[in-house]
Structure formats: structure tokens, C-alpha cells
Amino acid sequence: MERSPGEGPSPMDQPSAPSDPTDQPPAGHAKPDPGSGGQPAGPGAAGEALAVLTSFGRRLLVLIPVYLAGAVGLSVGFVLFGLALYLGWRRVRDEKERSLRAARQLLDDEEQLTAKTLYMSHRELPAWVSFPDVEKAEWLNKIVAQVWPFLGQYMEKLLAETVAPAVRGSNPHLQTFTFTRVELGEKPLRIIGVKVHPGQRKEQILLDLNISYVGDVQIDVEVKKYFCKAGVKGMQLHGVLRVILEPLIGDLPIVGAVSMFFIRRPTLDINWTGMTNLLDIPGLSSLSDTMIMDSIAAFLVLPNRLLVPLVPDLQDVAQLRSPLPRGIIRIHLLAARGLSSKDKYVKGLIEGKSDPYALVRLGTQTFCSRVIDEELNPQWGETYEVMVHEVPGQEIEVEVFDKDPDKDDFLGRMKLDVGKVLQAGVLDDWFPLQGGQGQVHLRLEWLSLLSDAEKLEQVLQWNRGVSSRPEPPSAAILVIYLDRAQDLPMVTSELCPPQLKKGNKEPNPMVQLSIQDVTQESKAVYSTNCPVWEEAFRFFLQDPQSQELDVQVKDDSRALTLGALTLPLARLLTAPELILDQWFQLSSSGPNSRLYMKLVMRILYLDSSEICFSTMPGYPGAWDVDSENPQRGSSVDAPPRPCHTTPDSQFGTEHVLRIHVLEAQDLIAKDRFLGGLVKGKSDPYVKLKLAGRSFRSHVVREDLNPRWNEVFEVIVTSVPGQELEVEVFDKDLDKDDFLGRYKVSLTTVLNSGFLDEWLTLEDVPSGRLHLRLERLTPRPTAAELEEVLQVNSLIQTQKSADLAVALLSIYMERAEDLPLQKGTKQPSPYATLTVGDTSHKTKTISQTSAPVWDESASFLVRKPHTESLELQVRGEGTGVLGSLSLPLSELLVADQLCLDRWFTLSSGQGQVLLRAQLGILVSQHSGVEAHSHSYSHSSSSLSEEPELSGGRPHFTSSAPELRQRLTHVDRALRQNGRDPPDPYVSLLLLPDKNRGTKRKTSQKKRTLSPEFNERFEWELPLDEAQRRKLDVSVKSNSSFMSRERELLGKVQLDLAETDLSQGIARWYDLMDDKDKGSS
């Protein structure tokens, strides 16, 4: 740990012996006695004499218990017992002080101590040691050190103004309770490492902070009424704190709330002072620390968490504070084998066996098996059910002990991340015990939480065949969010039982919730008849059809009932989504007394169709030769292997946003010539930014009213707050000039499905931009594929890439049996997915031949009949481990355009489990009714052959307005001068000649056969369109810096003679204004 140059050694680092007077003068030297004539010898001698008398007095106090024992006539045994108690207390105190000093010394000089002791634990490693999955955060430690004094000020204010009044109000005997000293000290909390978990839900950010606090904190409290003082002086706290930032929102501060909790219990060591010194007595020391850890666990260890909302009116606060479990794991503790023998007889000459039992833990949930006497291969056959709240992070821990009369002997331990159970569905294996010998046999089943009441009967039928002890298997769970109560009755003399002498006063209500023989209690809220609890409770249900929830609202003494409620759980089975969120009227209470609760029921379901059985010898459990009888009704009888993928709910919910950049008007002129004397125009282009991608249109030269007619496509999600950022620039040789910007809310487009507007550019004096935005939602049917291909060919523009006709979503779950490196070494595999010119690379899984990626990717597909998905599994630094080519044409004939199964890699060794699903992108606002018209293939052809290739309008006849689209391709223009012309096309919808009906194409340079391939639209009723004429003029710029235009030819179309509902595509002869010649 670095120390600033001016920082001296901490006072806490000094030995506890008295300091030398020259280094640290005693308190008496601070202010010399005025009457001493300025000579310090007098006060110094008085201070030394006082110290001697104090030391002598302390030794006399030690003899007082001996004197009292003799005076009362007690035996010497009492004196010896008191002396032993004192020596034990002193030993515990000395150990704590040594531990604190060692930890502080470690933090003060990490590198030096690391060089001396190479056997340091993981949490003590210095900042310059790095790990691949944990990042050091020294910058964060510097920030914490900077704000630590101000945090101390806040804590002092919080304890004095909030905690102390709450303590005084909780009990009449504590009315004089106060904090006399609150100092967090100079040693701040340190963050040893930060681990970010990628690939989790998109609406949250999940971090694990490895925190270590070795502090010189000093907090003193006093109850003046009883002359009682107590406190804490020094503390250690080490653990992993999980921080979840959710939900992510599209407005400042981006994060809606912060949730914090410890995944596992942190380690704690407290140095007590005052009356709490008694807690350091042997026996009380561990008991006190356990009680404090229980208090911390009830507040900050899963399933409890601290929620800090960052925005007002945050929705689903109760759901964030106490979310539903991710799932339930049913743990079958079956047996153990090969355990070590711990029992000895005749002073170790005769070796016995062991009396094993097992402790099963997940978070704060702990279960203890029965003891099997004198057996090294015990058979337990017990089943436990645990709630899983966080994946990854939580671990199943099994510890095996030998039961003894005094202290139980440790036989071994195993740990398993719950994420492996989630991935496998069912895991049945022998697990080796660490720290001992032997193995333990577990069958772990992941039960999903369903809101489908129709599954309940199937689950109940299944559970009847499951042999489970000590408790029957559960069919559902019930989560109760206890919010608040209103108008509870006052505590009056009539309501109180005779032993309680109370007058009229507000109650201290708490709630007892019971289902059969399981009862849980809320906290007590003091002095109010409208309490707010905001707590969550969870119950396992064996049969929700017959069970009832009993709710008792009581005063904190438990002797006075303020209200009651009985709710049959069968009522939840008929509620939408198995949820009741409402006020409940209390019985045996006041007339307006009621309780607000949210009850959520979920069915515990194990889909056996998702489990298949592997016969591969390398699969877990296949090597077990002990043919134990499978448990009756067990979910599986063979090692599991998933047949299908299990993507999250967000998979396949993407949309495609089609962005039409049409034209702009009244842009500002940025070009200057002759030193600014001559004002030119601009060479505008458009930049688009959305979802981390950027697009850019082509440049239109010297035009303040440019037409681009380009189409761009991007894959988007429904995450709120996204915006499409549009910027217009003038292309220059050095730095492009800014012509304006606009931001479009993506939520508006996704909700409406279509947006066609002129957008006024911001941050510029003038200019507006015409955009058309359309949301395309993938459809899992190939029936409309040909129509989509036809429509895309009609709206395709020359400057745009081929339009997408489908969206391919890939969920890459896992691989198995990948080849080993050099025959023995495990690879570090990753996968690359490629469609066309777009690729996606998964994360790298370290040293495994069975990686689990759990990643998804999406691709735009333009030619599904010919394109394919190319997949390669590669090892980090070792090359290709296997590949796969999946033609998308196979998806077109698959059910729901989806394939979800194992695929064999081309190398012949290894398989991958993935889900590939195709969605056809059908435009609802293209203006083309492809299914109601017949199309000529030549309409989409832009070849140089003299067939029909453009100039066809398309109409939506069923709409009240006409939307016309024209594609122009002109060839064989006449050449009047020596150089070829620079042609463009001007269109007018006669008889109007105003600017609103005028359209113009881009200009082509020096060509007699220009290809425009542009689209124009007029919105007007069909009957009015038939009264109009379309004037088409082909022109060319005459000369540089001249506004004069040369007419190359024109044609006028009478729309009344055209079948607008069918459209037309043909060549027209251009005539000059004197009807001479044509081209």
C-alpha cells in the first residue's frame, strides 16, 4: 500500500506499551501549571507519581475477588474459576489485537510483507498481482480514501439523528441511549478486486467487489440511566459484495437503482471496549460474533439485500428489493464412500470408524442430515430444497463431519456453483471431498418457476412417486411481499390482557405469517397504527390446492392481536399469472383495518423432455460402477444431457429498423470561393448513429436541397432510452462543416412501427431533413418470403446495399468432446459465427473440452436461399478445433424456421448445441402490395440490356391516399456539344408548378446513359391523382457557376390513362420542347 510522503506511521500501528516521554508527552505536559514558574519538573513528577498510584491500585483490585471469596466463605475453586475466566478473556483480547495489528501492517506495507511471506491468502495479494477474471481497482481505492472522512461525518450524523432515536423509542429502558463517539478512523475500506459478469440480462450490470476492511473505527455508546458504557475499537470485515445496477433506463442517471448484498457470509472480527469487553470471554466471543453476523445476514446476505433507488417513482421497488428466486434446486443427498476413520480406542491402538453426518448449505439456508453410526460408506437418502437467488455466484456446499461427544471431526468438503446445475438441468455424480478423503453422491435437480396453473396437477402426480425425507417434495413456492397496513386499532385497556397495563396508545405492530407448521415473522414498527414493513417472505408449498395462509397482526409483545386474515391458496390458482396484488380486509380488528400484500405463486417444474441421457464414458457419473438402486420417482436415472438450448427470455426479440434517408431542404451554404467573395453552396451528406453502429450517405455535390434516397438497416432491441442521432455535414477537403443535427427517440418508432416526417435540423439557422423510419418485426414463416424479395427489389436504391429479407438469431449454448491439444491438454475454446461479411466472436472459456458460452448473436440475411451460417470453434493459440456450415435454406423448410439441436463438427470430433431461428422481415409501409399484383422480373433489373428496367410507379389502391414510387433509368441521350452532358431529371405533378410538387434526381456526370434508380412520392387521393399529369424533364447543367439549364428532352404522362392500381414499367421517348427528334 502506497503512503503519501507526508504521512507518518498510524497510531494504531504502535505497540500497546507506553511510549517514550520524549516521543509522546503525557497529557499533563500539555499545559504547565501557571504557578510553577515555568518549570516543567513539578507537573512531570506529579504525573509519574499518579501513574505509579494507578498501577498500584489496579493490582489491589485484582486481590479484591480473593478477599471477597474468603470473606463470604467460598472455596478456592471460585477464585481459580474467576482467574481462568480472566486469563481466557485476556488471551482472546490479545489475539484480536495481534490480528488487527498484523492486518494493518499488511495494508501499510504490502510489497515488503509479500516478499517475506509468499504463502499469503488470496485476499491479501497486492495490487500489482493480477488475475484473468478479477480486476484490480486501485483508482477506486484512492477515491474511497478521499471520501472516507466525509463518510465518517455522514455516519456520525446518521447514527445520532436516525439510529439513536430509533433505539431510544424501541425500549423504555434505553431512553438515555446515546452515541458518545463516532469515528471511522484513518484506515478506509479497501476493494481488493472487481469482477464484472458479462452476458447477464441486458437491463442490468452485475459486479462483485472483494472488500477488505481492517479499520481503526471507534464507536462508543452510553446509557446514562444505568451508567453503562460500551463500544467498538477496531474491526475486520472481509467478504464479496455483489452490486447490481438495475434497471438501466434511457434517462439520467441511466441507472434506476443500486442493489447490494453479500453472496456468502463475510468474516468478521470485532475488538470490544467498555461493558462489551465481556463479549471477549471464551464462549461468549464466538457467540457474540455469530449473533452479529446473523444481524448482518438478516440485512445484507442473500436473500436479503439493500436497495437504494436513484430515481423517483421507481416501478416494481418490491420486486427489486426482493426479486423472485431464479429457481429451486432439489438436493438429493444420497450417500458417501471412502470416508476417513476418526474414532480411536485404547489411546489410538485400536482404529474404529466414523459416525458421519453432512451439513448442506446454500447461502443462509442450512440443512443437517442424520448421523450414521460407525460407517465409512453411509447411505443417507435425504432430500432438501433450496432457493437460488443469484446465478452465477451462489455455491452449494456440503461438509461431512464425524459426530463426537466433544468436538466433531472434519471429514471433507465439496463446493459446486449453482450455474452448473442450471446448465445441466439435472446433475447426478460422485463429488470428491476436499480437505479429506472420500466422495459424496449428490443428485441435483433444477426446478424452474412457472406461472402456469395447469402444470400443478402434473407436478403433484409426479411428486406422489418421489420418495423424499425428512420433508415431502414441494410443488410450488409462495412469495409474499408484505407492504403496509392501515387504521390498525389503538392499544386500549379493554384490548390488553390483564397482565399488560396499557392505556390508549399507538401499537407496535408486527406480522406473523403461517402455512401449516411454518411461521415467519416481520420486524416490529414502533408507535404507529399505519405501519410500513416492505418485507418479503418465501414458503414452500406441498399442495396449494388445500393449504391456507394464516396472517396474524400483533403488537410486538405477541400477546395482543390487532387483526387476522385467512386466505386459501387455491384462490391464487385462479388469479392472472398466479398473482394477487391488493388490499386485504382484516378480521377481529377495526372497521377500516386492512393489509396490503402482493402474493406470487410459482409452480416448481422440471421438464423431463428437456433432459436426455448420455452414454459417453467421459460424462459425469458414467464411471460410477456402484449399481445403487435409483431413488423411486427421481427425475433421471442416467447422466443428463440437454437436448435443446435454454436461451433467456430476451433471445429472438430484436427488431430491424429500416432508415430511409430521402432528401433535405434549405440547407445552409458553407462553400466560399475567391477568398469568400463568391458564395457557393454545400456538398451535403448524412451521418447516422444508432445502437453502437454508424452509417453515412453519399455526398451530393453543390446542392442545398439534396436528394439521397438511401436505405440503411440496423438491428435494435426494445431497451428504452435509445435514440437515432442524425447529423448533416458539408464535405470539404480539410474539415467537414456542420449543417445541423436531430435526435429521434427509438421508443416512438418501435411503438408506432412507422415514422415519416420532415425534421427541422437543430443548432443551425435553417434546414430540414426528410426521414422515413420503419420497424420490421421478424415473422417465423416462409410463406411471405417471395413477396418480400419482390418488394425489396422495387424499393431498392442504387446507393444502398441489398435490403435484408430476414433476421437470423443464433443462440450458442455449449460444445462437448472437443479435441485435446497434443492429445492430453485441455483447449481454451471460443467460437466465431459468420453470415456474409458479418462475424461474431464468443468469449473464450479457459481449459475445457466442454465449454458453455451462453451467448447470442443476430445477423441480417439478404439472400436466404444461397447464404449459410459458418461456425468455427477455435482454441486460443491452437487453431481450428472444428467447423460447421449450416445452409439457411435448411431453416426455410424447418418448423417455425427454427433448428434447435446438437450439431456435429466437420472435424468428426466434437458437437455444438445451438439454436438458429429465422424471421422474415415483412414491410407494412412499403407502399407495395406484392401479394395483389403480378410483377415482371425485369422491373428489378438494372442491367445494360434494353429491356424494361425502370420508370414504374407503384400504388396502394386500398389506402385513402396515393403513394407513388418511381425508379428512373435513362439511356441514349443526345449530345449537343463536344462534351457529354451532366444529366438529371426534374418531375412536376401538373397542373401545380409550385415547389411542393416538384422533385429532382441527383446529377450524373458526363454520361449519355445515366442510371438514377431513385424513388419519388406524392401523397394524394386516387381520384385526384387521376386528374393530374406527370411532367418529366431531363436537363443538364450548362456551365460552371451558372444557373442556366439545358433541356435534353421531356415527356408528359396523363395519369388518367394509367392504371395506377397496377402500376406501369416501360420506356418513354423523350421529346424536345419543339417536338423535334427524340432520345
PDB file of all heavy atoms in Angstrom, residues 805-818:
ATOM      1  N   VAL A 805     -33.970  -9.392 -46.032  1.00  0.00           N
ATOM      2  CA  VAL A 805     -35.287 -10.030 -46.117  1.00  0.00           C
ATOM      3  C   VAL A 805     -35.586 -10.853 -44.881  1.00  0.00           C
ATOM      4  O   VAL A 805     -36.722 -11.291 -44.695  1.00  0.00           O
ATOM      5  CB  VAL A 805     -35.376 -10.919 -47.374  1.00  0.00           C
ATOM      6  CG1 VAL A 805     -35.176 -10.089 -48.620  1.00  0.00           C
ATOM      7  CG2 VAL A 805     -34.367 -12.058 -47.320  1.00  0.00           C
ATOM      8  N   ALA A 806     -34.569 -11.099 -44.042  1.00  0.00           N
ATOM      9  CA  ALA A 806     -34.793 -11.922 -42.855  1.00  0.00           C
ATOM     10  C   ALA A 806     -33.767 -11.556 -41.789  1.00  0.00           C
ATOM     11  O   ALA A 806     -32.727 -10.942 -42.075  1.00  0.00           O
ATOM     12  CB  ALA A 806     -34.703 -13.410 -43.183  1.00  0.00           C
ATOM     13  N   LEU A 807     -34.086 -11.936 -40.555  1.00  0.00           N
ATOM     14  CA  LEU A 807     -33.181 -11.764 -39.417  1.00  0.00           C
ATOM     15  C   LEU A 807     -32.862 -13.143 -38.861  1.00  0.00           C
ATOM     16  O   LEU A 807     -33.763 -13.912 -38.515  1.00  0.00           O
ATOM     17  CB  LEU A 807     -33.827 -10.898 -38.335  1.00  0.00           C
ATOM     18  CG  LEU A 807     -32.991 -10.676 -37.063  1.00  0.00           C
ATOM     19  CD1 LEU A 807     -31.758  -9.847 -37.380  1.00  0.00           C
ATOM     20  CD2 LEU A 807     -33.815  -9.991 -35.977  1.00  0.00           C
ATOM     21  N   LEU A 808     -31.583 -13.453 -38.786  1.00  0.00           N
ATOM     22  CA  LEU A 808     -31.121 -14.729 -38.245  1.00  0.00           C
ATOM     23  C   LEU A 808     -30.639 -14.529 -36.820  1.00  0.00           C
ATOM     24  O   LEU A 808     -29.728 -13.727 -36.581  1.00  0.00           O
ATOM     25  CB  LEU A 808     -29.993 -15.298 -39.114  1.00  0.00           C
ATOM     26  CG  LEU A 808     -29.346 -16.600 -38.611  1.00  0.00           C
ATOM     27  CD1 LEU A 808     -30.347 -17.741 -38.623  1.00  0.00           C
ATOM     28  CD2 LEU A 808     -28.114 -16.947 -39.441  1.00  0.00           C
ATOM     29  N   SER A 809     -31.246 -15.244 -35.879  1.00  0.00           N
ATOM     30  CA  SER A 809     -30.852 -15.172 -34.468  1.00  0.00           C
ATOM     31  C   SER A 809     -30.207 -16.499 -34.075  1.00  0.00           C
ATOM     32  O   SER A 809     -30.791 -17.567 -34.296  1.00  0.00           O
ATOM     33  CB  SER A 809     -32.060 -14.899 -33.568  1.00  0.00           C
ATOM     34  OG  SER A 809     -32.639 -13.646 -33.891  1.00  0.00           O
ATOM     35  N   ILE A 810     -29.013 -16.421 -33.499  1.00  0.00           N
ATOM     36  CA  ILE A 810     -28.254 -17.603 -33.104  1.00  0.00           C
ATOM     37  C   ILE A 810     -28.029 -17.562 -31.603  1.00  0.00           C
ATOM     38  O   ILE A 810     -27.589 -16.545 -31.059  1.00  0.00           O
ATOM     39  CB  ILE A 810     -26.894 -17.672 -33.833  1.00  0.00           C
ATOM     40  CG1 ILE A 810     -27.090 -17.632 -35.347  1.00  0.00           C
ATOM     41  CG2 ILE A 810     -26.125 -18.919 -33.419  1.00  0.00           C
ATOM     42  CD1 ILE A 810     -27.790 -18.833 -35.914  1.00  0.00           C
ATOM     43  N   TYR A 811     -28.353 -18.667 -30.933  1.00  0.00           N
ATOM     44  CA  TYR A 811     -28.021 -18.821 -29.515  1.00  0.00           C
ATOM     45  C   TYR A 811     -27.004 -19.956 -29.402  1.00  0.00           C
ATOM     46  O   TYR A 811     -27.312 -21.115 -29.664  1.00  0.00           O
ATOM     47  CB  TYR A 811     -29.256 -19.127 -28.678  1.00  0.00           C
ATOM     48  CG  TYR A 811     -28.939 -19.355 -27.214  1.00  0.00           C
ATOM     49  CD1 TYR A 811     -28.522 -18.317 -26.400  1.00  0.00           C
ATOM     50  CD2 TYR A 811     -29.055 -20.616 -26.647  1.00  0.00           C
ATOM     51  CE1 TYR A 811     -28.234 -18.517 -25.060  1.00  0.00           C
ATOM     52  CE2 TYR A 811     -28.771 -20.836 -25.315  1.00  0.00           C
ATOM     53  CZ  TYR A 811     -28.362 -19.778 -24.528  1.00  0.00           C
ATOM     54  OH  TYR A 811     -28.070 -19.991 -23.210  1.00  0.00           O
ATOM     55  N   MET A 812     -25.781 -19.601 -29.053  1.00  0.00           N
ATOM     56  CA  MET A 812     -24.673 -20.558 -28.946  1.00  0.00           C
ATOM     57  C   MET A 812     -24.554 -20.959 -27.478  1.00  0.00           C
ATOM     58  O   MET A 812     -24.089 -20.176 -26.650  1.00  0.00           O
ATOM     59  CB  MET A 812     -23.386 -19.902 -29.443  1.00  0.00           C
ATOM     60  CG  MET A 812     -22.237 -20.854 -29.611  1.00  0.00           C
ATOM     61  SD  MET A 812     -22.452 -21.902 -31.034  1.00  0.00           S
ATOM     62  CE  MET A 812     -20.910 -22.825 -30.961  1.00  0.00           C
ATOM     63  N   GLU A 813     -24.991 -22.186 -27.145  1.00  0.00           N
ATOM     64  CA  GLU A 813     -25.021 -22.572 -25.734  1.00  0.00           C
ATOM     65  C   GLU A 813     -23.728 -23.263 -25.292  1.00  0.00           C
ATOM     66  O   GLU A 813     -23.068 -22.816 -24.376  1.00  0.00           O
ATOM     67  CB  GLU A 813     -26.216 -23.477 -25.453  1.00  0.00           C
ATOM     68  CG  GLU A 813     -26.299 -23.885 -23.987  1.00  0.00           C
ATOM     69  CD  GLU A 813     -27.650 -24.445 -23.612  1.00  0.00           C
ATOM     70  OE1 GLU A 813     -28.674 -23.786 -23.883  1.00  0.00           O
ATOM     71  OE2 GLU A 813     -27.675 -25.546 -23.039  1.00  0.00           O
ATOM     72  N   ARG A 814     -23.350 -24.357 -25.952  1.00  0.00           N
ATOM     73  CA  ARG A 814     -22.229 -25.127 -25.432  1.00  0.00           C
ATOM     74  C   ARG A 814     -21.658 -26.027 -26.516  1.00  0.00           C
ATOM     75  O   ARG A 814     -22.208 -26.139 -27.617  1.00  0.00           O
ATOM     76  CB  ARG A 814     -22.663 -25.985 -24.249  1.00  0.00           C
ATOM     77  CG  ARG A 814     -23.697 -27.047 -24.622  1.00  0.00           C
ATOM     78  CD  ARG A 814     -24.098 -27.885 -23.424  1.00  0.00           C
ATOM     79  NE  ARG A 814     -24.823 -27.083 -22.444  1.00  0.00           N
ATOM     80  CZ  ARG A 814     -24.987 -27.436 -21.194  1.00  0.00           C
ATOM     81  NH1 ARG A 814     -24.463 -28.565 -20.754  1.00  0.00           N
ATOM     82  NH2 ARG A 814     -25.672 -26.683 -20.348  1.00  0.00           N
ATOM     83  N   ALA A 815     -20.545 -26.671 -26.175  1.00  0.00           N
ATOM     84  CA  ALA A 815     -19.934 -27.688 -27.024  1.00  0.00           C
ATOM     85  C   ALA A 815     -19.459 -28.829 -26.135  1.00  0.00           C
ATOM     86  O   ALA A 815     -19.301 -28.660 -24.909  1.00  0.00           O
ATOM     87  CB  ALA A 815     -18.775 -27.116 -27.831  1.00  0.00           C
ATOM     88  N   GLU A 816     -19.232 -29.971 -26.739  1.00  0.00           N
ATOM     89  CA  GLU A 816     -18.754 -31.137 -25.988  1.00  0.00           C
ATOM     90  C   GLU A 816     -17.768 -31.926 -26.843  1.00  0.00           C
ATOM     91  O   GLU A 816     -17.799 -31.865 -28.082  1.00  0.00           O
ATOM     92  CB  GLU A 816     -19.930 -32.040 -25.584  1.00  0.00           C
ATOM     93  CG  GLU A 816     -20.742 -31.520 -24.412  1.00  0.00           C
ATOM     94  CD  GLU A 816     -21.764 -32.530 -23.946  1.00  0.00           C
ATOM     95  OE1 GLU A 816     -21.851 -33.599 -24.579  1.00  0.00           O
ATOM     96  OE2 GLU A 816     -22.475 -32.255 -22.964  1.00  0.00           O
ATOM     97  N   ASP A 817     -16.904 -32.651 -26.156  1.00  0.00           N
ATOM     98  CA  ASP A 817     -15.965 -33.587 -26.795  1.00  0.00           C
ATOM     99  C   ASP A 817     -15.058 -32.904 -27.798  1.00  0.00           C
ATOM    100  O   ASP A 817     -14.732 -33.475 -28.844  1.00  0.00           O
ATOM    101  CB  ASP A 817     -16.728 -34.720 -27.487  1.00  0.00           C
ATOM    102  CG  ASP A 817     -17.309 -35.694 -26.480  1.00  0.00           C
ATOM    103  OD1 ASP A 817     -16.875 -35.657 -25.320  1.00  0.00           O
ATOM    104  OD2 ASP A 817     -18.197 -36.461 -26.851  1.00  0.00           O
ATOM    105  N   LEU A 818     -14.628 -31.681 -27.511  1.00  0.00           N
ATOM    106  CA  LEU A 818     -13.678 -31.031 -28.402  1.00  0.00           C
ATOM    107  C   LEU A 818     -12.333 -31.744 -28.301  1.00  0.00           C
ATOM    108  O   LEU A 818     -11.974 -32.270 -27.238  1.00  0.00           O
ATOM    109  CB  LEU A 818     -13.532 -29.551 -28.030  1.00  0.00           C
ATOM    110  CG  LEU A 818     -14.797 -28.697 -28.189  1.00  0.00           C
ATOM    111  CD1 LEU A 818     -14.512 -27.264 -27.793  1.00  0.00           C
ATOM    112  CD2 LEU A 818     -15.328 -28.761 -29.611  1.00  0.00           C
TER     113      LEU A 818
END
